[in-house]
Amino acid sequence: MSQITQTGIVETLKDGTFLITGSTGFLGKTLIEKLLRSCSVKNIAVIVRSKKGLTANHRIANMFEQTFFDRLRKELPEYAKYIKVIDGDLENPSIGLTSSDHDWLIENVNFIFHCAATVKFNEPLEIAAKINVYGTENMLSLAKEMKNLKGFVHVSTAYSHCPRNEIKEQNYPAAITPENLKNMFDLKEELPQKILGDWPNTYCFTKAIAENVIFKSGNHLPISVFRPSIIGCTKSEPCPGWLDNMNGPSGIATGVIVGFIRTIPLEANKVTDMVPVDYTVNAMISVMWNTVHRYQGTYETNKEPKIYNYVSSVESPLTWGKYIKEMQVYYQNAPPFRSMWYRFNVFYTNIWIGMILRFLLHRIPAAFMDLLLLVRGKKTKLLKMYSKIESMMDLLYFFTTRQWTFDNSNTKELWLLLSEEDRSMFQYSFDKFDWNSYIEDNFYGIRKHILHEDISNISEAITKNRKLFWLHQLFIGFIFYIVIQIFWWLKSFIFYHISIIF
Ligand SMILES: NC(=O)c1ccc[n+]([C@@H]2O[C@H](COP(=O)([O-])OP(=O)(O)OC[C@H]3O[C@@H](n4cnc5c(N)ncnc54)[C@H](OP(=O)(O)O)[C@@H]3O)[C@@H](O)[C@H]2O)c1
């Protein structure tokens, strides 16, 4: 395919006014950082809701103080002048905008990245629908009023249609229309089975309906749907290994390396589809570029929105087994000091076996620890923590025990359209991706950003880990001893009560 003759990414987006939703989230803040550092923007307007007694302005000011923005503060000290904070809530039909903010947006915005969503798998349907479905409808209505809009990228998920095994870059019908969805809010008790149908959670379910909304009402806009798989820590920008949440594999890895999670519902040879957040942002920006050129002057003619699956499994598949095995290598070199036990895992796929393993490896030690706390006059907490973490793992079961076949032709085709310069500035290809170094960065990222441990404590941590190792061996020996004693007792019991005469 010949390279596109239009202007490159930076040239296309230069001096543009961006509107970003979900800017306080994992993906949104990474996007802002990259746009400010690399794209000579005119303005970035962010729609942010007030939360926990903090105004939208306060929240954004706090966000920019995070170490994640260190590089930006150094490279673009005057970054703040490009940010326009707009107080708003997507659940509100008018997004809660003041009339002056509304007028400013419709006069000025050129590019929209709609990232806001609730990503909780167990969110009540009504809340998930209000944010993910109706929030998207509200954004589309606002976009339709905009006078200078050149591109709209709607962020969905590669798992929006996860009941299918094969996911192409096409619009599939969801189980229900947004209008009918409203009638379901009262059926709270019957919710999971009756309404969700084949969808495993309210998150994927509402993201699927939101995509249908785009295809129904967004087709007079220059719009694309971007579907990333599981978004993990940064690969390199602004620094390697950065993350600020425990969603997906990183959450499981954190629980494992601190010795808290000891048994996991997971099929080690299944592919976990993970994409670094900075690569994801680069792919999104490239999709915006493609959207602008695809629709330039033509979007009134009702072009179909294009879908981009952004996945790693097509070019560089990574199995759960490899991910966890690699994590173990780095764990041996730098175990966390805060470990509560030596790392030890048993994987299962059968729910009954899982129940037994959880009882033996989580509940019994937790009950023992809680008893110790009680004796010392402290509040018990371990059993409660395990019950919470196990419910979270149950929500992940659907994703850790199966894999999908994705088609990513549009995303690959887009990569071929980029100039050499754009490819190096907005790298997102998984061709020959180095998982080993990524997992190493992921490990040290978890240690630093989630567990807040500095590498200076490594020798202390190794010493502690050695003690935990021997404690662990002692414990295993003790369990073996108990099991053998039980067998001996059973044997003696049986032979005492039963006589066999041939
Ligand atoms: N993380 C992943 O692995 C992943 C994978 C595939 C796709 N995605 C998609 O990527 C997008 C971003 O995900 P993320 O991981 O960055 O999620 P996140 O960290 O939970 O951020 C969600 C963002 O949405 C905002 N938001 C939620 N409800 C809102 C409302 N009513 N009004 C205004 N803002 C609202 C949140 O604002 P507050 O701070 O006010 O709550 C936050 O900024 C989502 O569309 C998600 O579906 C994520």
Side-chain angles (χ1 to χ4, degrees):
M1 180 174 306
S2 66
Q3 282 197 347
I4 207 159
T5 48
Q6 287 125 341
T7 50
I9 295 179
V10 175
E11 193 55 31
T12 301
L13 305 183
K14 200 173 141 199
D15 295 327
T17 292
F18 292 74
L19 171 59
I20 298 179
T21 67
S23 56
T24 51
F26 182 44
L27 183 64
K29 70 175 76 156
T30 315
L31 174 65
I32 292 180
E33 203 273 348
K34 176 73 178 181
L35 285 173
L36 284 171
R37 233 173 359 91
S38 310
C39 290
S40 309
V41 304
K42 183 174 178 195
N43 284 303
I44 299 181
V46 291
I47 294 183
V48 181
R49 52 187 173 174
S50 312
K51 208 173 176 181
K52 294 181 184 159
L54 292 176
T55 62
N57 267 309
H58 247 103
R59 294 188 64 203
I60 290 295
N62 289 349
M63 180 180 94
F64 278 109
E65 277 171 22
Q66 293 168 7
T67 53
F68 175 66
F69 292 97
D70 284 354
R71 181 168 166 190
L72 173 72
R73 281 195 298 265
K74 208 164 148 199
E75 290 181 20
L76 188 73
E78 73 283 13
Y79 70 87
K81 74 174 190 198
Y82 301 103
I83 301 292
K84 181 175 171 67
V85 182
I86 292 180
D87 205 323
D89 186 336
L90 292 179
E91 290 180 48
N92 189 318
S94 63
I95 314 186
L97 302 174
T98 62
S99 60
S100 67
D101 281 340
H102 173 267
D103 294 348
W104 187 91
L105 289 171
I106 61 170
E107 284 301 328
N108 293 289
V109 170
N110 308 119
F111 310 107
I112 300 178
F113 285 103
H114 175 40
C115 310
T118 170
V119 299
K120 280 191 204 155
F121 284 4
N122 56 353
E123 193 77 89
L125 181 66
E126 187 168 349
I127 298 177
K130 278 186 177 160
I131 299 173
N132 297 351
V133 180
Y134 308 123
T136 300
E137 280 186 339
N138 300 337
M139 279 303 294
L140 290 171
S141 307
L142 180 67
K144 280 178 188 163
E145 290 183 68
M146 290 180 178
K147 297 176 182 162
N148 298 300
L149 187 70
K150 296 179 184 170
F152 184 134
V153 174
H154 167 77
V155 181
S156 186
T157 157
Y159 300 99
S160 52
H161 295 282
C162 58
R164 295 170 177 274
N165 292 327
E166 193 183 354
I167 300 177
K168 298 192 169 161
E169 288 169 310
Q170 67 185 57
N171 179 39
Y172 298 108
I176 201 169
T177 63
E179 297 75 34
N180 288 340
L181 184 62
K182 279 191 182 131
N183 304 328
M184 304 293 168
F185 295 158
D186 297 332
L187 305 170
K188 287 192 174 77
E189 295 105 61
E190 300 167 58
L191 185 101
Q193 300 77 17
K194 276 219 162 152
I195 302 172
L196 296 183
D198 294 332
W199 270 263
N201 56 56
T202 52
Y203 168 64
C204 295
F205 182 68
T206 50
K207 290 297 267 190
I209 302 171
E211 282 187 10
N212 286 186
V213 166
I214 302 277
F215 275 80
K216 191 174 155 212
S217 54
N219 53 10
H220 293 290
L221 290 167
I223 193 163
S224 298
V225 174
F226 178 70
R227 291 185 185 148
S229 55
I230 305 165
I231 306 178
C233 71
T234 50
K235 169 84 175 99
S236 53
E237 283 190 279
C239 57
W242 173 82
L243 76 170
D244 71 353
N245 66 68
M246 300 223 295
N247 297 338
S250 296
I252 294 179
T254 308
V256 166
I257 65 176
V258 295
F260 188 74
I261 298 179
R262 297 174 200 127
T263 183
I264 308 168
L266 183 151
E267 213 167 303
N269 60 358
K270 291 274 189 274
V271 169
T272 164
D273 204 304
M274 218 192 313
V275 291
V277 65
D278 49 341
Y279 271 40
T280 309
V281 157
N282 290 344
M284 271 165 79
I285 295 174
S286 306
V287 166
M288 177 61 86
W289 170 82
N290 198 210
T291 310
V292 173
H293 287 296
R294 220 165 67 80
Y295 284 91
Q296 215 154 34
T298 64
Y299 63 80
E300 288 80 8
T301 56
N302 237 345
K303 251 186 194 172
E304 270 260 297
K306 201 165 178 174
I307 296 180
Y308 300 81
N309 284 346
Y310 186 54
V311 294
S312 55
S313 56
V314 179
E315 285 102 343
S316 294
L318 169 75
T319 61
W320 281 101
K322 158 118 175 131
Y323 177 69
I324 290 178
K325 218 167 154 192
E326 278 300 315
M327 278 277 171
Q328 283 172 16
V329 173
Y330 306 111
Y331 170 85
Q332 296 301 342
N333 298 340
F337 185 75
R338 286 170 52 186
S339 298
M340 56 184 286
W341 194 255
Y342 187 75
R343 182 208 54 75
F344 166 76
N345 314 111
V346 185
F347 305 126
Y348 64 86
T349 49
N350 180 290
I351 291 178
W352 296 105
I353 292 180
M355 278 169 74
I356 297 170
L357 286 169
R358 284 177 178 189
F359 180 73
L360 292 175
L361 301 174
H362 287 170
R363 298 302 174 116
I364 291 182
F368 181 70
M369 295 299 285
D370 271 351
L371 196 68
L372 285 184
L373 287 173
L374 211 62
V375 169
R376 290 162 65 192
K378 294 194 174 160
K379 245 179 126 181
T380 59
K381 56 182 181 189
L382 268 296
L383 276 171
K384 261 188 229 145
M385 278 165 76
Y386 273 110
S387 138
K388 215 168 152 187
I389 204 107
E390 285 172 358
S391 332
M392 276 167 63
M393 287 198 298
D394 287 341
L395 292 169
L396 293 179
Y397 181 84
F398 187 87
F399 301 92
T400 51
T401 53
R402 69 186 77 193
Q403 64 185 39
W404 285 262
T405 305
F406 291 105
D407 171 27
N408 64 348
S409 308
N410 289 343
T411 311
K412 278 200 296 207
E413 196 177 297
L414 172 55
W415 179 250
L416 296 177
L417 290 174
L418 299 184
S419 67
E420 278 303 320
E421 199 185 346
D422 283 344
R423 283 187 199 170
S424 92
M425 194 183 274
F426 300 94
Q427 162 67 288
Y428 73 73
S429 168
F430 282 98
D431 211 14
K432 301 193 189 103
F433 188 78
D434 182 356
W435 282 114
N436 290 2
S437 84
Y438 181 69
I439 297 170
E440 180 174 7
D441 291 336
N442 191 191
F443 176 85
Y444 285 99
I446 289 174
R447 213 177 177 281
K448 182 172 175 188
H449 303 290
I450 303 291
L451 301 173
H452 305 291
E453 292 198 22
D454 194 82
I455 44 170
S456 62
N457 76 358
I458 286 182
S459 64
E460 274 173 281
I462 289 177
T463 310
K464 178 180 170 186
N465 198 49
R466 218 168 281 142
K467 288 181 191 156
L468 286 177
F469 171 79
W470 287 114
L471 211 60
H472 177 71
Q473 302 307 323
L474 212 68
F475 184 73
I476 299 277
F478 177 68
I479 296 284
F480 263 114
Y481 174 77
I482 297 283
V483 170
I484 288 168
Q485 287 299 314
I486 290 173
F487 271 115
W488 272 112
W489 181 81
L490 272 177
K491 192 184 147 229
S492 317
F493 180 82
I494 289 169
F495 282 106
Y496 183 78
H497 290 282
I498 298 174
S499 325
I500 305 171
I501 301 169
F502 294 100

